Amino acid sequence: GNSVTQMEGPVTLSEEAFLTINCTYTATGYPSLFWYVQYPGEGLQLLLKATKADDKGSNKGFEATYRKETTSFHLEKGSVQVSDSAVYFCALIPYSGAGSYQLTFGKGTKLSVIP
Amino acid sequence: DAGVIQSPRHEVTEMGQEVTLRCKPISGHDYLFWYRQTMMRGLELLIYFNNNVPIDDSGMPEDRFSAKMPNASFSTLKIQPSEPRDSAVYFCASSTDTLGTGELFFGEGSRLTVL
């Protein structure tokens, strides 16, 4: 079946530090890959996505590259801010053909950024 | 624009009581999803609807859980009877997506505590 594995948190960084959150996946075919973010007390929201191998998704200074050879989609940011403190979820949609829709999430990685 | 609206935001009830969670999706969205979030199991898809029709309810944990979508602007998730292990945050999400773009719009969640 399809699955997503994320590094376990929590991750605590100082402001302006470099961030990497690892994500690997298992899926048949060519899934689309996503990072969602959940700020405290809120629902999840889409941060970035990539739909084919070697694509790079980017948003708000975050980046992730779809690596099919390593089945990975690691999230990176060069300089984190306190406002980036949140829970980050890696997710995938398998190649579905017609009529199927299922977003599979990892368990989430909590990031805390301290001033 | 109004996002996905869930109610109640918080619910505390006693074991054996009926619980009804409500969701109003974004107008024009034809997919609606119910997720459950716990520390132990992360984010789990319970059921999703397309054009008010349940498509996949394989994530519904047991017969105590039921979900309905009587029209395009309203859905309910009911637990009867509730048990302490049902304590979780329940998210509703909606989408106008069909295949692969993966952008779901989440509500702020309903935090359920069953004593």
Side-chain angles (χ1 to χ4, degrees):
Chain A
N2 303 307
S3 67
V4 175
T5 303
Q6 292 181 234
M7 63 185 290
E8 293 198 13
V11 174
T12 302
L13 295 174
S14 297
E15 207 165 20
E16 299 184 2
F18 185 86
L19 168 71
T20 300
I21 300 178
N22 290 339
C23 171
T24 57
Y25 67 89
T26 301
T28 54
Y30 299 89
S32 295
L33 302 174
F34 309 85
W35 278 100
Y36 274 76
V37 59
Q38 183 181 26
Y39 298 104
E42 299 182 10
L44 282 71
Q45 55 187 276
L46 181 65
L47 179 61
L48 54 84
K49 66 182 182 184
T51 58
K52 60 183 187 294
D54 300 325
D55 267 3
K56 178 184 284 187
S58 61
N59 186 23
K60 299 182 181 180
F62 291 89
E63 293 183 339
T65 301
Y66 188 144
R67 301 287 188 200
K68 185 165 176 59
E69 63 276 13
T70 54
T71 62
S72 64
F73 193 55
H74 305 322
L75 183 68
E76 297 182 336
K77 186 175 185 183
S79 176
V80 294
Q81 306 300 313
V82 172
S83 57
D84 294 326
S85 298
V87 181
Y88 292 82
F89 293 87
C90 188
L92 68 82
I93 288 181
Y95 177 74
S96 62
S100 174
Y101 187 112
Q102 181 120 354
L103 195 63
T104 299
F105 286 93
K107 290 198 170 183
T109 303
K110 183 176 181 179
L111 169 67
S112 297
V113 180
I114 54 177
Chain B
D1 289 341
V4 175
I5 299 172
Q6 292 186 244
S7 65
R9 290 294 311 276
H10 301 275
E11 174 93 4
V12 180
T13 191
E14 293 188 347
M15 183 174 62
Q17 297 298 304
E18 178 179 294
V19 173
T20 299
L21 307 178
R22 298 172 177 80
C23 176
K24 177 178 169 56
I26 293 173
S27 177
H29 283 190
D30 51 359
Y31 283 82
L32 184 139
F33 305 81
W34 283 100
Y35 283 87
R36 179 172 67 177
Q37 184 179 41
T38 61
M39 290 293 291
M40 290 293 293
R41 300 173 69 91
L43 202 62
E44 303 172 277
L45 177 63
L46 300 178
I47 185 171
Y48 78 92
F49 296 82
N50 178 218
N51 291 322
N52 313 337
V53 176
I55 302 300
D56 184 351
D57 65 354
S58 59
M60 296 285 264
E62 47 197 277
D63 291 345
R64 297 184 298 105
F65 285 70
S66 62
K68 295 182 179 179
M69 192 165 186
N71 58 62
S73 59
F74 184 67
S75 177
T76 59
L77 178 67
K78 186 175 293 187
I79 309 171
Q80 167 62 18
S82 58
E83 297 182 2
R85 60 194 168 116
D86 302 332
S87 297
V89 181
Y90 291 82
F91 287 102
C92 176
S94 71
S95 173
T96 187
D97 179 85
T98 50
L99 294 174
T101 70
E103 183 159 16
L104 304 187
F105 294 81
F106 282 78
E108 293 184 323
S110 294
R111 181 176 294 277
L112 172 64
T113 302
V114 183
L115 303 174

